[in-house]
Amino acid sequence: MKKKYIIRLRSFISFISIATLFVSCLIACAIVITGTWLFYHGPITFFSGIIMSLLVCALTMIIGAIALYIGSGHLLKPVEALNLTVNKIAQGDFTARVYRKKREMNNYLYAHELDELSSNVNKMVEELSGMDYMRKDFMSNVSHEIKTPVTAITGFAELLLDSPLEIQKQKEYLELIHQESRRLSLLCEDMLQMSRLDNQQIISKKDMIRVDEQIRRAVIVLSQKWSDRDQKFDLNLYDVVVESDKSLLMHVWMNLIDNAMKYSSINSTIYIDEQISGNELIVRIKDEGIGIKSEKIAKIFDKFYQGDESHKKQGSGLGLSIVKRILELLGATIHYESQENIGTTVVVKILIKSAKL
C-alpha cells in the first residue's frame, strides 16, 4: 500500500526553521570566536567589540531571513498556483488545471498536503466540467423533447382548422393530438420529479415495506397495461420487509418491470426472483427481449437517453435516471446485465430490515 506523503508541510517548515537557526548559530559562533581571539591577541578595542557584536546580530538576522524567504517561496508556489486556478474556475473556465510537477513518487501518493489539494482541485474541475456539459446537453435535450410533441400538436390542430376533413380523418388527428399531449404531460411530470430528486439529499425511510407484495402489485397493474402482449411471469419471491420509502420504491418496480415488458416480445416470459445475501435483498428482473448492446449499457442511466429508437414515443428517456437517483437516495444499488437478442437482467440490491423464508 502506498504511503500518502513524501514529506508533511509541518515537518518541512520545522526543518527549514531548525536549519536556519543552525546555520545562523554556526556563523555567529564563528564570528564570536574570531572576535574573542582578536580581542585577546590583536589590536581590538571595546568599541570594536560592540561593532562586531552588532555585525553578528545583523548577519544572523539576514541569513535567517534569506533562508526563510527561500523556504517560504518554495512553500507558497503551489498556493499561488491554486489561487490562480481557483480564480479561473470562479470565472467559469473549467479547462483550468493546477500544474503538478512530475516527480518520482515511488511508494507515495502525493509530495505533501498542498500537492494532494492540487490533485483534488483538478478532480473537482473535471467533475464541474462534466456537470457543465451535462447541463448544456440536458437543456438541449429538454428543448428538443418538448418541441417535438408541441410541433406535432400545432401541425395537426392547423390541419383541423384550415381544411375540411372527413369525420374519420378528424378523429385520427384528434387521437394523435391526444397522444402527443399525453406524452408532453408525462415528460413534464418526469422532468419535475427528476428535478425534485436531484435537489433532494435526504429521504425519510420510515415505511416498513413487503417487497414481494409491491412487486406482485406492479405485475398486476402492468399486465393490464400490456394486456395485448400476453406475457407470462415466473415469480420466485420471499416474505421480505425493508425499511424504505413506500411510494418511491414502488416507482422503481413499476419502471423496471414496465421496461422488461416493453422491450420483450409477445408471449415471452419475465422472471423475477429474490435472493438474500447477508443483510442485502437482491432482486433480479430478467426478460427475453431484444437486449442492450454492450456499448450502450454505460449510457442507459443518462437523462433522455433511449437506446432503442423504435420505442422513443413510449417514454421520455428519464425513467432509468429517476430510478437510479431514487435508489441512490434509498441507499440501494442497481446494475444491468444484457446480451443482444437474448435478454436483459436488472439487479437491485437493498438493505433488509427482516426476512421470512
Side-chain angles (χ1 to χ4, degrees), residues 315-332:
S316 62
L318 287 172
L320 285 180
S321 300
I322 292 171
V323 164
K324 187 177 183 185
R325 180 58 182 159
I326 288 173
L327 291 174
E328 285 175 352
L329 292 171
L330 295 178

Side-chain angles (χ1 to χ4, degrees), residues 60-325:
T60 303
M61 291 173 63
I62 291 168
I63 292 167
I66 291 171
L68 286 173
Y69 180 81
I70 294 170
S72 61
H74 180 75
L75 185 65
L76 288 173
K77 274 185 180 179
V79 176
E80 291 170 355
L82 276 168
N83 185 49
L84 182 63
T85 303
V86 170
N87 281 332
K88 289 181 180 179
I89 296 167
Q91 294 169 11
D93 181 8
F94 297 127
T95 62
R97 297 290 185 276
V98 183
Y99 172 72
R100 296 175 63 205
K101 289 183 179 178
K102 294 190 182 285
R103 305 177 179 90
E104 280 292 330
M105 291 296 184
N106 295 324
N107 293 322
Y108 297 94
L109 294 172
Y110 309 103
H112 42 65
E113 290 90 337
L114 287 174
D115 188 45
E116 182 183 10
L117 181 59
S118 299
S119 175
N120 289 334
V121 167
N122 287 341
K123 289 177 186 176
M124 179 191 72
V125 181
E126 288 174 8
E127 290 295 321
L128 287 172
S129 178
M131 288 173 65
D132 185 56
Y133 172 79
M134 286 175 63
R135 178 181 61 82
K136 292 175 182 176
D137 188 54
F138 178 76
M139 293 304 297
S140 174
N141 284 323
V142 167
S143 60
H144 177 266
E145 292 294 330
I146 290 178
K147 184 179 179 181
T148 302
V150 168
T151 302
I153 292 168
T154 304
F156 290 127
E158 287 175 352
L159 285 173
L160 289 169
L161 288 170
D162 294 342
S163 54
L165 298 170
E166 299 174 0
I167 298 297
Q168 187 62 33
K169 277 288 182 184
Q170 289 181 13
K171 287 183 178 179
E172 183 182 339
Y173 288 161
L174 287 169
E175 179 62 30
L176 290 169
I177 288 173
H178 177 262
Q179 289 177 4
E180 293 298 324
S181 300
R182 182 163 177 76
R183 180 184 166 200
L184 185 60
S185 175
L186 291 172
L187 174 62
C188 291
E189 285 179 18
D190 285 345
M191 286 168 58
L192 286 171
Q193 186 171 15
M194 191 75 242
S195 178
R196 283 194 298 268
L197 292 169
D198 277 342
N199 290 286
Q200 194 168 358
Q201 299 301 324
I202 300 173
I203 284 182
S204 178
K205 299 181 285 186
K206 295 181 179 179
D207 300 327
M208 304 304 295
I209 305 163
R210 277 276 301 275
V211 175
D212 56 313
E213 285 186 359
Q214 275 201 334
I215 291 174
R216 287 189 181 96
R217 287 175 189 169
V219 167
I220 292 168
V221 172
L222 292 168
S223 294
Q224 296 297 318
K225 176 182 176 181
W226 300 101
S227 57
D228 58 324
R229 289 177 174 265
D230 194 25
Q231 291 168 327
K232 303 176 184 66
F233 284 87
D234 185 338
L235 305 180
N236 181 24
L237 307 174
Y238 300 125
D239 296 348
V240 182
V241 176
V242 298
E243 190 173 10
S244 191
D245 184 287
K246 187 176 182 179
S247 61
L248 289 178
L249 194 58
M250 186 64 179
H251 183 94
V252 170
W253 307 131
M254 290 289 289
N255 187 281
L256 296 179
I257 297 171
D258 184 60
N259 280 348
M261 299 178 75
K262 183 195 302 184
Y263 294 105
S264 294
S265 57
I266 297 171
N267 297 321
S268 62
T269 302
I270 294 169
Y271 303 87
I272 305 176
D273 68 85
E274 293 177 342
Q275 176 187 349
I276 295 171
S277 176
N279 64 339
E280 279 187 332
L281 168 67
I282 303 172
V283 180
R284 286 185 175 84
I285 302 172
K286 181 178 182 298
D287 63 52
E288 300 174 332
I290 59 176
I292 308 170
K293 292 181 179 179
S294 57
E295 64 269 18
K296 292 184 176 181
I297 288 182
K299 301 178 182 179
I300 58 176
F301 296 111
D302 292 352
K303 294 171 185 176
F304 295 109
Y305 181 78
Q306 290 179 298
D308 183 19
E309 295 293 325
S310 63
H311 293 81
K312 192 171 179 64
K313 290 194 175 182
Q314 296 178 10
S316 62
L318 287 172
L320 285 180
S321 300
I322 292 171
V323 164
K324 187 177 183 185
R325 180 58 182 159

